[in-house]
Amino acid sequence: MKKIFFTTPIFYVNDLPHIGHAYTIIICDTLAKFYNLDEYDVLFTTGTDEHGLKVEKAAKKNNTDPKVFVDKVSQNFLNLSKKLKISNTDFVRTTEERHKKAAKNFWKLLEEKNQIYLSNYKGWYSVRDEAFYQEKELTKEGSKFFTQDGEEVQWIEEESFFFKLSEWDEKLLKYFDENPDFIMPASRKNEVISFVKSGLKDLSISRTSFKWGIKVEDTNNHIMYVWIDALVNYLTSIDFPKTTKDQFCFWENCIHIIGKDILKFHAVYWPAMLMAAEIPLPKRIFAHGWWTNEGKKISKSIGNVIDPNAMIEKYGLDQFKYFLLREVTLGQDGDFSEHSFKARINSELSNNLGNLIQRTLKFTSKNFKNKMPAEIEVLGKKDLLNEVYDLLPKVKKHMQSLEINKAIDEIVAMLTKLNKFMDLAEPWNSIKINPKKTANDLSTLIECFRVIGILLQPFIPDASEEILNILNIEKNKRKFKFVNFKYKINKDHCINEPKPLFPRYD
Ligand code: ME8
């Protein structure tokens, strides 16, 4: 079986999960489900990033011990993954023993390869980003310095271990050149290339001014820089340092899906450290865009955070997922507004899909006693049925290039065609004069619903399941290989009473 591996970032537990976290999880889940249906062996991991100054401060603010605090907040992310009904194969928490072991071993490997040395760090640090900044990256207001996002940075001076990042610029650039799809989309790759070309400095990878983190072995007070700790989570889930050959097959086909905010860590620091440790690199890093709420940056201080749980309660899981996947091209920024949300759901899910299935099956139920009315035939290349079977390779191609909304586009365009077909066929009239034609037309539509039900499973799993249940398709006949005339619905196959799939919103 072919193997593939998807990862989300592991999320900081300083706060509640919001729509941005849900977005990355949903993308990975959609891809994982897609490849599962395509007979791949799939790993899909997510988790929580529980160490570092930011989390320590959040715990303090809550008057709680950090461990008690992270246990509680991590649960919110676990609950979110349950609410999103995701198909993850692992949930990594950086406070787990298996992870600490992986991180310490990773460090040891870097040490063995002579990639770590002790010195002093002097420079700017942003606690919110858990990141070091060079002065040229900051703006000055009075005596204070701020990041591009307006976050004030603090000056730190302390003893620190360093990773020899500066040794890796040429090798990184060569790798990017030889593997043009390593960083996607292309615009982001160019940003990374110019960052590397501007010169890399050695990276401070330990801190001594706080305690909440993984201790560097054989030192008194060094705590691993939270980003090294966090990045290793991807290896934790494949049992590093005891990763088997088989697990490395997943790793070599691993796609890190992240937000554009953390690209530098994933596309510069991480591959450099992996090269230094002589561990193979994952296959790809894809940085998606940023969601705003009604045109405004999502922020707790503005009070406009969108709670995915509340959205799912209000509109339903499939609707929420569909909107996020469909509204923007993966990689671009998106704006969330309830107005465009409702418009999208009404036109594509309620009308184009739900209503079409409902009216076709209601009519079939009334006139053909809930049975497939006729034996279908495929006529020519341009035949509707051939077109629907041809959707699979088209959808696959888009999914392989991570163009999720284009994959959905193909299905939506087909649904539009099916609606036109239904309107032209006018079964409510033709049944009076040519019932044989009506039976053929309805059967064509029903077979198309089977195919579309199968294809929509990664994107709107609950509704697709409902469609396939209504059509009475056996559970073990829902994988992509069944998108074929060979597995068509036969005449007299029983069909269940249709139920409305998506309510309309005013
Ligand atoms: O950065 N739009 O964790 P984090 C889209 N722990 N995506 C968004 C978003 C928005 N408005 N807001 C957040 C960290 N995200 C580190 C990661 S990985 C080894 C360590 C998503 O909790 C997006 O995926 O700040 C972004 O990269 C991630 O949440 C940042 O999550």
Side-chain angles (χ1 to χ4, degrees):
M1 237 173 158
K2 288 184 275 184
K3 293 180 171 38
I4 198 157
F5 184 4
F6 297 100
T7 67
T8 75
I10 48 168
F11 303 107
Y12 286 127
V13 288
N14 60 313
D15 215 340
L16 289 172
H18 65 65
I19 191 170
H21 306 120
Y23 181 53
T24 324
I25 298 174
I26 288 170
I27 294 166
C28 284
D29 183 48
T30 305
L31 291 164
K33 288 194 164 103
F34 184 88
Y35 281 94
N36 237 312
L37 288 160
D38 205 21
E39 315 280 347
Y40 276 66
D41 220 353
V42 182
L43 288 187
F44 161 24
T45 67
T46 182
T48 41
D49 190 354
E50 307 187 3
H51 289 132
L53 193 51
K54 173 151 102 169
V55 174
E56 191 183 72
K57 280 192 168 176
K60 227 178 232 155
K61 209 169 142 203
N62 276 270
N63 286 322
T64 331
D65 166 73
K67 182 67 172 79
V68 176
F69 178 74
V70 298
D71 283 348
K72 194 169 144 219
V73 189
S74 174
Q75 191 62 39
N76 294 327
F77 283 89
L78 202 61
N79 291 345
L80 175 66
S81 38
K82 287 190 185 138
K83 187 102 187 167
L84 293 170
K85 297 194 198 163
I86 62 170
S87 57
N88 59 315
T89 51
D90 200 355
F91 187 98
V92 181
R93 297 183 56 190
T94 54
T95 49
E96 289 173 88
E97 279 313 312
R98 61 169 178 153
H99 173 73
K100 290 183 195 166
K101 201 168 118 198
K104 285 182 179 176
N105 273 284
F106 188 74
W107 182 287
K108 211 159 89 195
L109 211 50
L110 289 177
E111 231 167 26
E112 279 166 19
K113 311 276 176 202
N114 192 25
Q115 287 291 317
I116 294 180
Y117 64 92
L118 188 64
S119 182
N120 285 298
Y121 181 78
K122 259 194 205 173
W124 297 106
Y125 193 77
S126 155
V127 178
R128 195 191 65 183
D129 302 346
E130 294 282 17
F132 303 97
Y133 284 93
Q134 294 179 31
E135 202 150 304
K136 64 180 182 194
E137 298 172 283
L138 303 168
T139 37
K140 189 173 177 208
E141 278 174 40
S143 59
K144 293 180 172 170
F145 284 84
F146 297 86
T147 66
Q148 298 299 318
D149 281 351
E151 190 67 14
E152 191 182 341
V153 289
Q154 41 175 258
W155 182 258
I156 54 171
E157 283 189 35
E158 59 190 47
E159 187 185 73
S160 171
F161 284 102
F162 283 80
F163 164 60
K164 295 180 183 170
L165 181 65
S166 60
E167 284 187 359
W168 293 94
D169 49 357
E170 287 305 322
K171 289 178 196 98
L172 282 173
L173 292 171
K174 185 166 176 272
Y175 191 85
F176 299 155
D177 192 44
E178 287 168 358
N179 299 275
D181 291 336
F182 179 63
I183 303 167
M184 280 174 73
S187 56
R188 299 272 165 237
K189 178 172 77 177
N190 296 337
E191 278 172 25
V192 173
I193 291 176
S194 37
F195 177 78
V196 176
K197 279 188 174 160
S198 76
L200 297 177
K201 286 189 159 182
D202 289 349
L203 180 68
S204 160
I205 53 167
S206 74
R207 305 286 310 272
T208 50
S209 51
F210 68 94
K211 296 231 156 6
W212 183 238
I214 301 178
K215 226 178 128 242
V216 178
E217 306 238 283
D218 306 321
T219 68
N220 282 335
N221 52 352
H222 283 267
I223 298 292
M224 256 181 230
Y225 174 35
V226 67
W227 266 102
I228 299 232
D229 169 348
L231 286 162
V232 173
N233 95 85
Y234 302 128
L235 294 175
T236 301
S237 66
I238 48 167
D239 298 329
F240 183 80
K242 297 225 163 97
T243 312
T244 61
K245 250 192 178 166
D246 200 43
Q247 285 171 309
F248 267 122
C249 293
F250 281 103
W251 180 246
E252 283 166 5
N253 212 9
C254 176
I255 302 180
H256 293 323
I257 306 279
I258 56 167
K260 62 180 183 181
D261 55 327
I262 52 178
L263 183 60
K264 181 171 70 181
F265 302 94
H266 283 81
V268 181
Y269 300 168
W270 185 224
M273 287 192 283
L274 287 168
M275 283 177 178
E278 294 178 23
I279 295 175
L281 302 200
K283 185 182 164 79
R284 180 162 306 147
I285 290 146
F286 192 103
H288 66 64
W290 216 238
W291 282 93
T292 49
N293 182 0
E294 312 271 355
K296 291 205 179 75
K297 189 177 160 194
I298 296 174
S299 128
K300 209 170 150 187
S301 51
I302 304 175
N304 65 349
V305 174
I306 303 167
D307 173 8
N309 294 292
M311 288 303 298
I312 295 166
E313 289 297 323
K314 190 167 171 190
Y315 294 108
L317 175 58
D318 279 356
Q319 286 90 333
F320 180 58
K321 287 167 63 152
Y322 185 82
F323 179 77
L324 294 182
L325 296 171
R326 173 83 171 114
E327 191 68 4
V328 295
T329 301
L330 196 61
Q332 312 219 309
D333 294 338
D335 185 45
F336 190 91
S337 88
E338 288 210 33
H339 177 75
S340 36
F341 180 91
K342 287 180 190 169
R344 181 69 83 186
I345 300 307
N346 282 345
S347 78
E348 291 178 7
L349 293 184
S350 306
N351 291 350
N352 223 12
L353 174 66
N355 194 23
L356 173 68
I357 294 186
Q358 175 84 2
R359 61 191 178 125
T360 309
L361 296 187
K362 269 234 143 104
F363 192 82
T364 310
S365 138
K366 199 168 140 214
N367 295 284
F368 296 91
K369 301 204 179 84
N370 275 343
K371 294 220 164 110
M372 181 71 162
E375 207 59 67
I376 54 160
E377 285 166 49
V378 179
L379 298 172
K381 261 215 151 321
K382 289 241 155 94
D383 185 61
L384 212 47
L385 283 169
N386 261 332
E387 268 192 65
V388 88
Y389 299 132
D390 274 353
L391 272 181
L392 178 61
K394 288 186 188 160
V395 167
K396 261 193 200 174
K397 194 175 136 259
H398 294 310
M399 292 301 273
Q400 271 154 10
S401 49
L402 296 171
E403 295 172 305
I404 300 184
N405 69 335
K406 283 201 186 158
I408 302 177
D409 260 347
E410 297 280 357
I411 303 173
V412 172
M414 188 69 213
L415 284 167
T416 306
K417 272 192 189 165
L418 297 183
N419 271 288
K420 276 199 190 122
F421 176 83
M422 173 73 164
D423 292 343
L424 283 174
E426 295 186 330
W428 47 91
N429 287 331
S430 74
I431 188 103
K432 294 175 217 148
I433 37 176
N434 190 351
K436 193 158 175 258
K437 177 181 178 301
T438 317
N440 284 336
D441 290 345
L442 291 173
S443 301
T444 298
L445 282 168
I446 292 169
E447 169 63 1
C448 288
F449 298 159
R450 179 185 75 89
V451 171
I452 283 174
I454 292 178
L455 291 177
L456 280 174
Q457 290 175 101
F459 314 101
I460 45 169
D462 287 347
S464 318
E465 190 182 5
E466 189 71 48
I467 295 169
L468 296 170
N469 286 348
I470 294 171
L471 296 179
N472 201 10
I473 306 300
E474 284 173 59
K475 288 249 168 19
N476 60 359
K477 298 219 165 116
R478 297 180 177 188
K479 291 218 164 182
F480 289 157
K481 67 174 179 211
F482 293 99
V483 174
N484 193 306
F485 182 69
K486 234 176 32 196
Y487 303 104
K488 68 182 170 30
I489 301 181
N490 290 321
K491 183 171 185 290
D492 290 336
H493 169 92
C494 286
I495 291 163
N496 295 317
E497 204 53 49
K499 295 180 203 133
L501 290 168
F502 297 101
R504 263 189 72 84
Y505 297 105
D506 294 322

